[in-house]
Amino acid sequence: MAKDLIASFGEMLIDFVPTVSGVSLAEAPGFIKAPGGAPANVAIAVARLGGRAAFVGKLGDDEFGRMLAGILRDNGVDDGGVLFDTGARTALAFVTLRADGEREFMFYRNPSADMLLTEAELNLDVIKSAAVFHYGSISLITDPCRSAHLKAMEVARQAGALLSYDPNLRLPLWPSPESAREQIMSIWDRADIIKVSDVELEFLTGLESVEDDVVLTLWRPEFKLLLVTLGEKGCKYYTKDFRGSLDGFAVNTVDTTGAGDAFVGAMLRKIVDDHTVLQEEEKLREVLRFANACGAITTTKKGAIPALPNEAEAVELLKRD
């Protein structure tokens, strides 16, 4: 079997997004349900771009959980690693869209099914067959999911997968900012590829700067690629041999949900086909330009999954620019 599977590990949930932008949760006249959860978004982003994707995680054995599993399948994502918990609900998040398209979150997970995934329940066959194993940090917050996460990383690494990490900071879910920083950094050195946003960079370094000297405090000799996304301003990239930056694309932003996931999915989709992208700067710049385009397109519609682009839409934006 061709080794081109990208397996994504972690949470999938339902975002409830206000029907109007720029209001608080209390002021919202109503909500639209939007499937989400960063690792699941990445899996669907990969599949929508024609890649092979699998999702590993746990959902509630409820209407929302079954709906989410159906969405994975409908989008061509392998759901062989998905489990259902009869005792816990699928996680929910209420997400306000401020007037500038940025988000604020209120979560319902006490505990939700994704937090209850155990080591013994992991589908190791899916994990072992992955060329890239992608994960976030939300699954590190509490056991048993934390132990399952660490075990899955270990199995993927032993099977020769590239490990891809997007911390995807959601402070309201952590007991404290200190605990978030400590746990996010606890697995930092084990990844091959890490993507952080400018906001996460500031949180992890304690410095309000995206200058190279600040970013490089997070660099490790084991890394193949470190990325900092800068929203509409594009991204910066660092490898052991070269570093640089790329501008973003000017689009009409409606909702930034899922833009980072679209970026990661697009990048992994290209890297899985050609690992030399990580050694050749010209190739990497081309891949990151494609990833920037996918991220930008995702901000032009509400919700993450409905907004994730296909290859033709990305190519269209690249041509236009």
Side-chain angles (χ1 to χ4, degrees):
M1 194 168 71
K3 190 102 182 198
D4 59 355
L5 179 71
I6 296 165
S8 225
F9 174 91
E11 69 285 352
M12 188 176 194
L13 58 140
I14 295 187
D15 290 334
F16 283 88
V17 186
T19 48
V20 293
S21 296
V23 297
S24 70
L25 287 176
E27 294 162 342
F31 297 89
I32 295 165
K33 64 180 196 297
N41 292 343
V42 169
I44 292 174
V46 168
R48 198 158 292 170
L49 293 166
R52 285 180 66 232
F55 178 72
V56 178
K58 203 174 202 188
L59 301 167
D61 191 6
D62 51 37
E63 290 225 1
F64 284 152
R66 298 284 169 190
M67 179 191 106
L68 292 175
I71 286 167
L72 288 171
R73 285 193 300 276
D74 292 347
N75 282 280
V77 175
D78 179 334
D79 66 343
V82 175
L83 292 129
F84 295 92
D85 195 295
T86 51
R89 295 281 189 219
T90 300
L92 307 178
F94 285 82
V95 186
T96 57
L97 292 180
R98 300 201 310 251
D100 60 1
E102 284 301 329
R103 302 151 299 164
E104 287 164 4
F105 295 88
M106 185 163 84
F107 292 94
Y108 285 72
R109 311 167 80 229
N110 56 336
S112 53
D114 59 286
M115 300 159 72
L116 302 177
L117 179 67
T118 66
E119 277 186 58
E121 292 173 315
L122 288 170
N123 184 331
L124 298 180
D125 291 339
V126 171
I127 296 166
K128 285 174 184 167
S129 61
V132 176
F133 185 70
H134 175 75
Y135 47 88
S137 71
I138 289 173
S139 38
L140 295 173
I141 295 172
T142 183
D143 264 324
C145 188
R146 182 170 193 277
S147 301
H149 180 143
L150 297 176
K151 172 73 174 172
M153 277 173 63
E154 186 191 317
V155 169
R157 166 66 80 216
Q158 284 170 351
L162 273 177
L163 299 192
S164 161
Y165 183 23
D166 175 358
N168 197 45
L169 178 68
R170 295 285 177 267
L171 266 182
L173 291 178
W174 291 90
S176 68
E178 295 69 37
S179 125
R181 201 174 288 112
E182 183 187 328
Q183 289 302 331
I184 285 171
M185 295 308 292
S186 72
I187 59 167
W188 197 257
D189 302 5
R190 302 189 212 174
D192 297 298
I193 299 170
I194 292 187
K195 176 240 134 186
V196 288
S197 68
D198 44 2
V199 174
E200 289 158 349
L201 177 69
E202 186 184 325
F203 173 76
L204 292 172
T205 61
L207 298 164
E208 209 172 320
S209 160
V210 294
E211 293 307 314
D212 288 352
D213 56 340
V214 172
V215 178
L216 289 170
T217 62
L218 294 178
W219 174 261
R220 300 291 182 271
E222 303 83 2
F223 289 177
K224 292 185 165 63
L225 178 63
L226 174 63
L227 294 156
V228 181
T229 52
L230 308 169
E232 72 282 1
K233 296 192 187 84
C235 67
K236 300 181 83 169
Y237 59 88
Y238 302 80
T239 75
K240 62 177 190 301
D241 299 319
F242 49 80
R243 64 177 84 152
S245 62
L246 279 153
D247 291 335
F249 291 85
V251 292
N252 182 19
T253 294
V254 174
D255 173 10
T256 58
T257 310
D261 304 327
F263 175 92
V264 171
M267 169 196 64
L268 296 178
R269 164 75 188 98
K270 294 295 184 189
I271 287 173
V272 80
D273 280 345
D274 181 5
H275 285 200
T276 66
V277 165
L278 297 166
Q279 284 100 46
E280 298 178 32
E281 187 168 14
E282 220 29 70
K283 277 188 182 176
L284 180 65
R285 288 182 68 84
E286 205 174 300
V287 164
L288 295 179
R289 205 165 156 263
F290 178 76
N292 275 344
C294 290
I297 292 166
T298 306
T299 70
T300 62
K301 296 180 201 156
K302 269 194 185 172
I305 289 169
L308 296 168
N310 58 33
E311 184 100 14
E313 289 168 316
V315 168
E316 190 57 41
L317 179 57
L318 288 168
K319 270 196 212 141
R320 203 184 78 198
D321 189 64

PDB file of all heavy atoms in Angstrom, residues 240-267:
ATOM      1  N   LYS A 240      16.611  23.763   9.119  1.00  0.00           N
ATOM      2  CA  LYS A 240      18.004  23.902   9.603  1.00  0.00           C
ATOM      3  C   LYS A 240      18.893  24.601   8.569  1.00  0.00           C
ATOM      4  O   LYS A 240      19.935  25.141   8.906  1.00  0.00           O
ATOM      5  CB  LYS A 240      18.571  22.558  10.051  1.00  0.00           C
ATOM      6  CG  LYS A 240      18.691  21.477   9.007  1.00  0.00           C
ATOM      7  CD  LYS A 240      19.342  20.242   9.659  1.00  0.00           C
ATOM      8  CE  LYS A 240      19.721  19.188   8.651  1.00  0.00           C
ATOM      9  NZ  LYS A 240      18.573  18.697   7.860  1.00  0.00           N
ATOM     10  N   ASP A 241      18.464  24.624   7.299  1.00  0.00           N
ATOM     11  CA  ASP A 241      19.299  25.199   6.245  1.00  0.00           C
ATOM     12  C   ASP A 241      18.857  26.571   5.746  1.00  0.00           C
ATOM     13  O   ASP A 241      19.639  27.297   5.142  1.00  0.00           O
ATOM     14  CB  ASP A 241      19.360  24.245   5.041  1.00  0.00           C
ATOM     15  CG  ASP A 241      19.958  22.901   5.417  1.00  0.00           C
ATOM     16  OD1 ASP A 241      20.940  22.902   6.187  1.00  0.00           O
ATOM     17  OD2 ASP A 241      19.434  21.863   4.979  1.00  0.00           O
ATOM     18  N   PHE A 242      17.584  26.899   5.913  1.00  0.00           N
ATOM     19  CA  PHE A 242      17.107  28.190   5.384  1.00  0.00           C
ATOM     20  C   PHE A 242      15.885  28.672   6.164  1.00  0.00           C
ATOM     21  O   PHE A 242      15.257  27.912   6.885  1.00  0.00           O
ATOM     22  CB  PHE A 242      16.788  28.091   3.884  1.00  0.00           C
ATOM     23  CG  PHE A 242      15.928  26.912   3.510  1.00  0.00           C
ATOM     24  CD1 PHE A 242      14.545  26.935   3.686  1.00  0.00           C
ATOM     25  CD2 PHE A 242      16.500  25.756   2.970  1.00  0.00           C
ATOM     26  CE1 PHE A 242      13.750  25.858   3.340  1.00  0.00           C
ATOM     27  CE2 PHE A 242      15.693  24.650   2.626  1.00  0.00           C
ATOM     28  CZ  PHE A 242      14.331  24.709   2.815  1.00  0.00           C
ATOM     29  N   ARG A 243      15.614  29.946   5.993  1.00  0.00           N
ATOM     30  CA  ARG A 243      14.416  30.535   6.616  1.00  0.00           C
ATOM     31  C   ARG A 243      13.927  31.670   5.740  1.00  0.00           C
ATOM     32  O   ARG A 243      14.684  32.219   4.936  1.00  0.00           O
ATOM     33  CB  ARG A 243      14.734  31.042   8.016  1.00  0.00           C
ATOM     34  CG  ARG A 243      15.748  32.178   8.030  1.00  0.00           C
ATOM     35  CD  ARG A 243      16.018  32.725   9.401  1.00  0.00           C
ATOM     36  NE  ARG A 243      17.017  31.954  10.138  1.00  0.00           N
ATOM     37  CZ  ARG A 243      17.799  32.480  11.064  1.00  0.00           C
ATOM     38  NH1 ARG A 243      17.693  33.754  11.386  1.00  0.00           N
ATOM     39  NH2 ARG A 243      18.692  31.735  11.674  1.00  0.00           N
ATOM     40  N   GLY A 244      12.662  32.017   5.885  1.00  0.00           N
ATOM     41  CA  GLY A 244      12.110  33.102   5.069  1.00  0.00           C
ATOM     42  C   GLY A 244      10.669  33.378   5.435  1.00  0.00           C
ATOM     43  O   GLY A 244      10.151  32.872   6.431  1.00  0.00           O
ATOM     44  N   SER A 245      10.010  34.192   4.604  1.00  0.00           N
ATOM     45  CA  SER A 245       8.606  34.503   4.864  1.00  0.00           C
ATOM     46  C   SER A 245       7.864  34.641   3.541  1.00  0.00           C
ATOM     47  O   SER A 245       8.481  34.848   2.484  1.00  0.00           O
ATOM     48  CB  SER A 245       8.485  35.791   5.677  1.00  0.00           C
ATOM     49  OG  SER A 245       9.017  36.856   4.928  1.00  0.00           O
ATOM     50  N   LEU A 246       6.560  34.507   3.614  1.00  0.00           N
ATOM     51  CA  LEU A 246       5.697  34.637   2.435  1.00  0.00           C
ATOM     52  C   LEU A 246       4.493  35.483   2.802  1.00  0.00           C
ATOM     53  O   LEU A 246       3.923  35.322   3.890  1.00  0.00           O
ATOM     54  CB  LEU A 246       5.188  33.257   2.006  1.00  0.00           C
ATOM     55  CG  LEU A 246       6.143  32.407   1.179  1.00  0.00           C
ATOM     56  CD1 LEU A 246       5.822  30.946   1.393  1.00  0.00           C
ATOM     57  CD2 LEU A 246       6.012  32.739  -0.291  1.00  0.00           C
ATOM     58  N   ASP A 247       4.090  36.359   1.900  1.00  0.00           N
ATOM     59  CA  ASP A 247       2.907  37.183   2.136  1.00  0.00           C
ATOM     60  C   ASP A 247       1.645  36.347   2.024  1.00  0.00           C
ATOM     61  O   ASP A 247       1.624  35.326   1.333  1.00  0.00           O
ATOM     62  CB  ASP A 247       2.834  38.332   1.112  1.00  0.00           C
ATOM     63  CG  ASP A 247       3.940  39.357   1.355  1.00  0.00           C
ATOM     64  OD1 ASP A 247       4.411  39.447   2.509  1.00  0.00           O
ATOM     65  OD2 ASP A 247       4.331  40.038   0.393  1.00  0.00           O
ATOM     66  N   GLY A 248       0.593  36.822   2.665  1.00  0.00           N
ATOM     67  CA  GLY A 248      -0.707  36.160   2.560  1.00  0.00           C
ATOM     68  C   GLY A 248      -1.467  36.671   1.343  1.00  0.00           C
ATOM     69  O   GLY A 248      -0.920  37.381   0.499  1.00  0.00           O
ATOM     70  N   PHE A 249      -2.744  36.315   1.273  1.00  0.00           N
ATOM     71  CA  PHE A 249      -3.600  36.740   0.168  1.00  0.00           C
ATOM     72  C   PHE A 249      -4.685  37.664   0.701  1.00  0.00           C
ATOM     73  O   PHE A 249      -5.256  37.394   1.755  1.00  0.00           O
ATOM     74  CB  PHE A 249      -4.262  35.518  -0.478  1.00  0.00           C
ATOM     75  CG  PHE A 249      -3.294  34.635  -1.213  1.00  0.00           C
ATOM     76  CD1 PHE A 249      -2.581  33.650  -0.533  1.00  0.00           C
ATOM     77  CD2 PHE A 249      -3.075  34.798  -2.571  1.00  0.00           C
ATOM     78  CE1 PHE A 249      -1.672  32.840  -1.208  1.00  0.00           C
ATOM     79  CE2 PHE A 249      -2.171  33.994  -3.253  1.00  0.00           C
ATOM     80  CZ  PHE A 249      -1.469  33.011  -2.567  1.00  0.00           C
ATOM     81  N   ALA A 250      -4.948  38.726  -0.032  1.00  0.00           N
ATOM     82  CA  ALA A 250      -6.001  39.653   0.381  1.00  0.00           C
ATOM     83  C   ALA A 250      -7.355  39.089  -0.058  1.00  0.00           C
ATOM     84  O   ALA A 250      -7.598  38.909  -1.250  1.00  0.00           O
ATOM     85  CB  ALA A 250      -5.770  41.013  -0.258  1.00  0.00           C
ATOM     86  N   VAL A 251      -8.193  38.766   0.925  1.00  0.00           N
ATOM     87  CA  VAL A 251      -9.538  38.258   0.625  1.00  0.00           C
ATOM     88  C   VAL A 251     -10.530  38.959   1.552  1.00  0.00           C
ATOM     89  O   VAL A 251     -10.135  39.636   2.497  1.00  0.00           O
ATOM     90  CB  VAL A 251      -9.640  36.722   0.844  1.00  0.00           C
ATOM     91  CG1 VAL A 251      -8.823  35.963  -0.181  1.00  0.00           C
ATOM     92  CG2 VAL A 251      -9.229  36.334   2.263  1.00  0.00           C
ATOM     93  N   ASN A 252     -11.805  38.759   1.281  1.00  0.00           N
ATOM     94  CA  ASN A 252     -12.840  39.348   2.120  1.00  0.00           C
ATOM     95  C   ASN A 252     -13.129  38.405   3.287  1.00  0.00           C
ATOM     96  O   ASN A 252     -13.888  37.460   3.148  1.00  0.00           O
ATOM     97  CB  ASN A 252     -14.089  39.593   1.251  1.00  0.00           C
ATOM     98  CG  ASN A 252     -15.191  40.254   2.058  1.00  0.00           C
ATOM     99  OD1 ASN A 252     -14.926  40.839   3.114  1.00  0.00           O
ATOM    100  ND2 ASN A 252     -16.414  40.125   1.605  1.00  0.00           N
ATOM    101  N   THR A 253     -12.512  38.660   4.441  1.00  0.00           N
ATOM    102  CA  THR A 253     -12.604  37.744   5.587  1.00  0.00           C
ATOM    103  C   THR A 253     -13.946  37.867   6.298  1.00  0.00           C
ATOM    104  O   THR A 253     -14.366  38.963   6.661  1.00  0.00           O
ATOM    105  CB  THR A 253     -11.447  38.015   6.571  1.00  0.00           C
ATOM    106  OG1 THR A 253     -10.231  37.675   5.916  1.00  0.00           O
ATOM    107  CG2 THR A 253     -11.585  37.180   7.837  1.00  0.00           C
ATOM    108  N   VAL A 254     -14.588  36.706   6.489  1.00  0.00           N
ATOM    109  CA  VAL A 254     -15.874  36.641   7.176  1.00  0.00           C
ATOM    110  C   VAL A 254     -15.693  35.949   8.534  1.00  0.00           C
ATOM    111  O   VAL A 254     -16.264  36.348   9.531  1.00  0.00           O
ATOM    112  CB  VAL A 254     -16.885  35.834   6.311  1.00  0.00           C
ATOM    113  CG1 VAL A 254     -18.194  35.618   7.059  1.00  0.00           C
ATOM    114  CG2 VAL A 254     -17.140  36.541   4.990  1.00  0.00           C
ATOM    115  N   ASP A 255     -14.887  34.888   8.555  1.00  0.00           N
ATOM    116  CA  ASP A 255     -14.746  34.052   9.754  1.00  0.00           C
ATOM    117  C   ASP A 255     -13.404  33.307   9.649  1.00  0.00           C
ATOM    118  O   ASP A 255     -13.182  32.564   8.702  1.00  0.00           O
ATOM    119  CB  ASP A 255     -15.925  33.064   9.790  1.00  0.00           C
ATOM    120  CG  ASP A 255     -15.803  32.014  10.897  1.00  0.00           C
ATOM    121  OD1 ASP A 255     -14.917  32.153  11.760  1.00  0.00           O
ATOM    122  OD2 ASP A 255     -16.606  31.066  10.885  1.00  0.00           O
ATOM    123  N   THR A 256     -12.530  33.521  10.631  1.00  0.00           N
ATOM    124  CA  THR A 256     -11.182  32.920  10.563  1.00  0.00           C
ATOM    125  C   THR A 256     -11.150  31.461  11.043  1.00  0.00           C
ATOM    126  O   THR A 256     -10.101  30.824  10.979  1.00  0.00           O
ATOM    127  CB  THR A 256     -10.181  33.736  11.422  1.00  0.00           C
ATOM    128  OG1 THR A 256     -10.664  33.767  12.770  1.00  0.00           O
ATOM    129  CG2 THR A 256     -10.033  35.152  10.899  1.00  0.00           C
ATOM    130  N   THR A 257     -12.301  30.925  11.497  1.00  0.00           N
ATOM    131  CA  THR A 257     -12.336  29.539  11.989  1.00  0.00           C
ATOM    132  C   THR A 257     -11.821  28.572  10.934  1.00  0.00           C
ATOM    133  O   THR A 257     -12.288  28.578   9.800  1.00  0.00           O
ATOM    134  CB  THR A 257     -13.778  29.126  12.373  1.00  0.00           C
ATOM    135  OG1 THR A 257     -14.322  30.122  13.214  1.00  0.00           O
ATOM    136  CG2 THR A 257     -13.785  27.797  13.108  1.00  0.00           C
ATOM    137  N   GLY A 258     -10.848  27.754  11.319  1.00  0.00           N
ATOM    138  CA  GLY A 258     -10.380  26.695  10.417  1.00  0.00           C
ATOM    139  C   GLY A 258      -9.310  27.119   9.430  1.00  0.00           C
ATOM    140  O   GLY A 258      -8.783  26.278   8.699  1.00  0.00           O
ATOM    141  N   ALA A 259      -8.942  28.403   9.427  1.00  0.00           N
ATOM    142  CA  ALA A 259      -7.934  28.857   8.450  1.00  0.00           C
ATOM    143  C   ALA A 259      -6.582  28.193   8.703  1.00  0.00           C
ATOM    144  O   ALA A 259      -5.917  27.732   7.771  1.00  0.00           O
ATOM    145  CB  ALA A 259      -7.797  30.381   8.504  1.00  0.00           C
ATOM    146  N   GLY A 260      -6.194  28.106   9.968  1.00  0.00           N
ATOM    147  CA  GLY A 260      -4.928  27.453  10.312  1.00  0.00           C
ATOM    148  C   GLY A 260      -4.951  25.969   9.978  1.00  0.00           C
ATOM    149  O   GLY A 260      -3.939  25.401   9.543  1.00  0.00           O
ATOM    150  N   ASP A 261      -6.118  25.349  10.144  1.00  0.00           N
ATOM    151  CA  ASP A 261      -6.254  23.915   9.835  1.00  0.00           C
ATOM    152  C   ASP A 261      -6.170  23.684   8.325  1.00  0.00           C
ATOM    153  O   ASP A 261      -5.592  22.697   7.871  1.00  0.00           O
ATOM    154  CB  ASP A 261      -7.581  23.382  10.378  1.00  0.00           C
ATOM    155  CG  ASP A 261      -7.727  23.632  11.874  1.00  0.00           C
ATOM    156  OD1 ASP A 261      -6.700  23.603  12.576  1.00  0.00           O
ATOM    157  OD2 ASP A 261      -8.851  23.882  12.339  1.00  0.00           O
ATOM    158  N   ALA A 262      -6.765  24.592   7.558  1.00  0.00           N
ATOM    159  CA  ALA A 262      -6.686  24.497   6.087  1.00  0.00           C
ATOM    160  C   ALA A 262      -5.236  24.635   5.640  1.00  0.00           C
ATOM    161  O   ALA A 262      -4.772  23.905   4.767  1.00  0.00           O
ATOM    162  CB  ALA A 262      -7.535  25.592   5.442  1.00  0.00           C
ATOM    163  N   PHE A 263      -4.517  25.563   6.276  1.00  0.00           N
ATOM    164  CA  PHE A 263      -3.095  25.791   5.979  1.00  0.00           C
ATOM    165  C   PHE A 263      -2.300  24.506   6.238  1.00  0.00           C
ATOM    166  O   PHE A 263      -1.544  24.035   5.392  1.00  0.00           O
ATOM    167  CB  PHE A 263      -2.582  26.952   6.843  1.00  0.00           C
ATOM    168  CG  PHE A 263      -1.103  27.208   6.716  1.00  0.00           C
ATOM    169  CD1 PHE A 263      -0.620  28.124   5.793  1.00  0.00           C
ATOM    170  CD2 PHE A 263      -0.185  26.539   7.528  1.00  0.00           C
ATOM    171  CE1 PHE A 263       0.749  28.360   5.667  1.00  0.00           C
ATOM    172  CE2 PHE A 263       1.182  26.773   7.417  1.00  0.00           C
ATOM    173  CZ  PHE A 263       1.647  27.688   6.479  1.00  0.00           C
ATOM    174  N   VAL A 264      -2.498  23.929   7.431  1.00  0.00           N
ATOM    175  CA  VAL A 264      -1.759  22.712   7.808  1.00  0.00           C
ATOM    176  C   VAL A 264      -2.115  21.549   6.880  1.00  0.00           C
ATOM    177  O   VAL A 264      -1.237  20.830   6.394  1.00  0.00           O
ATOM    178  CB  VAL A 264      -2.041  22.329   9.284  1.00  0.00           C
ATOM    179  CG1 VAL A 264      -1.464  20.959   9.617  1.00  0.00           C
ATOM    180  CG2 VAL A 264      -1.462  23.382  10.220  1.00  0.00           C
ATOM    181  N   GLY A 265      -3.408  21.366   6.627  1.00  0.00           N
ATOM    182  CA  GLY A 265      -3.853  20.269   5.767  1.00  0.00           C
ATOM    183  C   GLY A 265      -3.247  20.374   4.376  1.00  0.00           C
ATOM    184  O   GLY A 265      -2.783  19.371   3.804  1.00  0.00           O
ATOM    185  N   ALA A 266      -3.238  21.593   3.832  1.00  0.00           N
ATOM    186  CA  ALA A 266      -2.693  21.817   2.484  1.00  0.00           C
ATOM    187  C   ALA A 266      -1.199  21.526   2.447  1.00  0.00           C
ATOM    188  O   ALA A 266      -0.695  20.878   1.527  1.00  0.00           O
ATOM    189  CB  ALA A 266      -2.965  23.255   2.048  1.00  0.00           C
ATOM    190  N   MET A 267      -0.492  22.002   3.475  1.00  0.00           N
ATOM    191  CA  MET A 267       0.955  21.778   3.541  1.00  0.00           C
ATOM    192  C   MET A 267       1.277  20.284   3.641  1.00  0.00           C
ATOM    193  O   MET A 267       2.113  19.763   2.897  1.00  0.00           O
ATOM    194  CB  MET A 267       1.523  22.526   4.748  1.00  0.00           C
ATOM    195  CG  MET A 267       2.951  22.147   5.057  1.00  0.00           C
ATOM    196  SD  MET A 267       3.472  22.651   6.689  1.00  0.00           S
ATOM    197  CE  MET A 267       2.441  21.726   7.780  1.00  0.00           C
TER     198      MET A 267
END
